[in-house]
Amino acid sequence: MSAQHESPAVAVAGAHAEAWSNHDFDTARNGLAPGVRVTATTTQPMPPATDTTGTDDYMIGLTQFAQAVVPGSLRILASTGDERNALLMLTVEVDFGAGKVTLPAARLYLLDENNKIKTEHVIFYAAQN
């Protein structure tokens, strides 16, 4: 199957990003496979790279991060995918206490056979507004 902007995996990934970026953590959790693995990295000195496995650890990290996200600030700039893979390029506005910054990111997803997020890889940096 060829990559599509409105593929099933893109729809799942987009709904997941909408949920956490609007602080709907129950919906975000419901989109995860039991053994979900997430990695997150940046070239900036903080935060350290993330590599966790499991729904609870994933949600702890996601909630800590997403609390700083300004609800309604998610912008999906580009997306592509197929039945099980999705790539989103997006931005969110965050405020970690020193004023708002924009976080551009690429988020790569793999879904399991139940259309739940099995793997997520995140690459991002903080851009001054």
Side-chain angles (χ1 to χ4, degrees):
M1 173 178 242
S2 63
Q4 311 164 34
H5 297 293
E6 296 298 325
S7 76
V10 168
V12 169
H16 180 71
E18 282 288 341
W20 61 254
S21 69
N22 285 300
H23 304 173
D24 182 355
F25 299 117
D26 290 335
T27 298
R29 177 184 282 275
N30 288 336
L32 302 176
V36 63
R37 177 175 178 221
V38 63
T39 62
T41 190
T42 183
T43 56
Q44 296 178 311
M46 292 295 290
T50 298
D51 189 343
T52 62
T53 301
T55 306
D56 290 339
D57 286 344
Y58 179 102
M59 288 306 300
I60 288 168
L62 179 65
T63 302
Q64 289 172 346
F65 160 72
Q67 290 293 343
V69 173
V70 176
S73 68
L74 173 70
R75 301 291 175 262
I76 296 177
L77 307 174
S79 62
T80 190
D82 58 23
E83 296 293 322
R84 296 194 58 213
N85 300 278
L87 176 63
L88 302 182
M89 302 211 33
L90 58 85
T91 62
V92 290
E93 298 295 316
V94 296
D95 189 344
F96 293 113
K100 290 181 187 175
V101 296
T102 300
L103 282 181
R107 301 176 87 95
L108 178 64
Y109 298 87
L110 172 64
L111 304 186
D112 70 5
E113 61 280 352
N114 297 311
N115 290 325
K116 302 286 186 174
I117 297 169
K118 178 179 180 176
T119 305
E120 180 181 16
H121 297 292
V122 182
I123 299 170
F124 69 96
Y125 78 99
Q128 294 299 321
N129 289 345

